[in-house]
């Protein structure tokens, strides 16, 4: 019996050594492994373009990508990030469902010597807890919309705010801008709710219910293109006109190509770009870090805005997502 136990223990030891060796070999194949904690696989057209951009750019750069999806669950994202740290990825890229609650992950990454890079959405972390940030300035995006709305010189401004995922830096920034803009300019926010998962169907239902309640409004401030489209579907069903020549102005964010076609058609009045193409930016950043070069700590992505009064087909055709 003793012989059998010692044989089993010996076999277990051999297998564990082989497994460790395989992992070490995987790390020794010279490939840079990038762990990516993404929000949701099918969150929005923006997210689809963002995921595609990272996967394509990382593959072209010869990186191994380990991408995981939180699917609306912040705690799951935290656990996924900790798991990637355990797996000793070379870089950890976080796109947070929530902007808060990342300190322990950041400390664990730092302890493990794994550079943490924020992409897309800024996280609430002190500068000593992350290596670099490549994000959008969501409040600045919202301020662009507020400035545009102010320039419309409307007698009354009754705004429907369709927010994104509660607590994401994208929702926090864009909502802060419109709420402060309304307070400063004496506008009315007649509806202000965040749609779980930036969901187009939820946005359509919310506007449908609002119309049924008899609430008057003349501005839709939708924090992404998909939710703006949902709002337009609801207005179509109720015979409410909108856009360039309609009763309701439609403001959207992301500037997906299909949405810019709607700006060109006069269905959306304004679309504020939120650029999803972080893949090449992250590759360049990681390659610089690999060479030991000093990198800029905080980079906000350059973004435009598109007005139905000035957009052209050429502008739309030139867009890459
Ligand atoms: O973080 C960017 C936001 O997340 C986009 O505006 C939205 O479409 C996406 O889902």
């Amino acid at each position: 019996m003793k012989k059998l136990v010692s044989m089993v223990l010996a076999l277990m030891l051999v297998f564990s050594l082989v497994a460790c060796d395989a992992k070490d070999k995987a790390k020794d194949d010279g490939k840079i492994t990038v762990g990516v904690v993404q929000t949701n696989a099918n969150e929005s057209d923006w997210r689809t373009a963002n995921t595609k951009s990272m996967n394509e750019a990382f593959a072209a750069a010869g990186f191994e990508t380990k991408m995981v999806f939180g699917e609306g669950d912040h705690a799951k994202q935290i656990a996924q990030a900790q798991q990637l740290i355990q797996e000793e990825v070379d870089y950890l890229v976080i796109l947070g469902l929530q902007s808060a609650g990342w300190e322990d992950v950041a400390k664990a990454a730092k302890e493990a010597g794994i550079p943490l890079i924020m992409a897309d959405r800024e996280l609430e972390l002190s500068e000593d807890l992350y290596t670099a940030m490549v994000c959008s300035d969501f409040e600045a995006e919202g301020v662009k919309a507020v400035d545009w709305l102010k320039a419309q010189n409307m007698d009354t401004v009754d705004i429907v705010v369709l927010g994104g995922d509660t607590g994401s830096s994208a929702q926090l920034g864009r909502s802060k801008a419109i709420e402060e803009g309304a307070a400063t300019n004496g506008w009315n926010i007649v509806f202000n709710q965040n749609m779980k998962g930036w969901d187009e169907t939820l946005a359509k239902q919310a506007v449908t219910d609002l119309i049924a309640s008899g609430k008057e409004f003349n501005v839709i401030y939708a924090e992404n293109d998909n939710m703006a489209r949902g709002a337009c579907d609801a207005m179509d069903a109720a015979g409410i006109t909108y856009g360039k020549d309609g009763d309701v102005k439609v403001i959207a964010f992301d500037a997906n190509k299909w949405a810019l076609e709607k700006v060109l058609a006069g269905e959306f009045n304004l679309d504020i770009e939120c650029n999803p193409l972080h893949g090449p930016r992250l590759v360049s950043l990681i390659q610089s870090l690999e060479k030991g070069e000093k990198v800029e700590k905080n980079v906000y992505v350059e973004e435009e805005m598109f007005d139905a009064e000035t957009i052209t087909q050429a502008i739309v055709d030139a867009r890459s997502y």
Side-chain angles (χ1 to χ4, degrees), residues 43-44 46-47 120-121 138 170 174 198 223-224 254 274:
E43 177 178 276
S44 60
W46 188 97
R47 190 61 55 192
D120 171 21
R121 299 179 180 172
F138 298 108
R174 290 169 187 162
W198 306 77
E223 292 183 359
N224 85 346
D254 285 350
C274 175

Side-chain angles (χ1 to χ4, degrees), residues 32 34-38 50-51 53-55 57-58 61 63 65 67 91-95 115-121 132-135 276-290 295 299 301:
I32 294 168
V34 184
V36 180
V37 183
Q38 182 56 292
N50 176 246
T51 297
S53 172
M54 288 189 283
N55 281 328
F58 290 178
F63 297 172
T65 307
M67 187 177 287
Y91 292 86
L92 183 63
V93 177
I94 306 277
L95 301 97
L116 188 154
I117 300 170
M118 301 182 208
D120 171 21
R121 299 179 180 172
M133 182 199 85
V134 183
C135 294
L277 307 181
H278 290 307
R281 299 180 186 115
L282 290 166
V283 166
S284 169
L285 179 60
I286 288 170
Q287 287 173 338
S288 294
L289 290 167
E290 281 293 294
V295 297
V299 174
V301 178

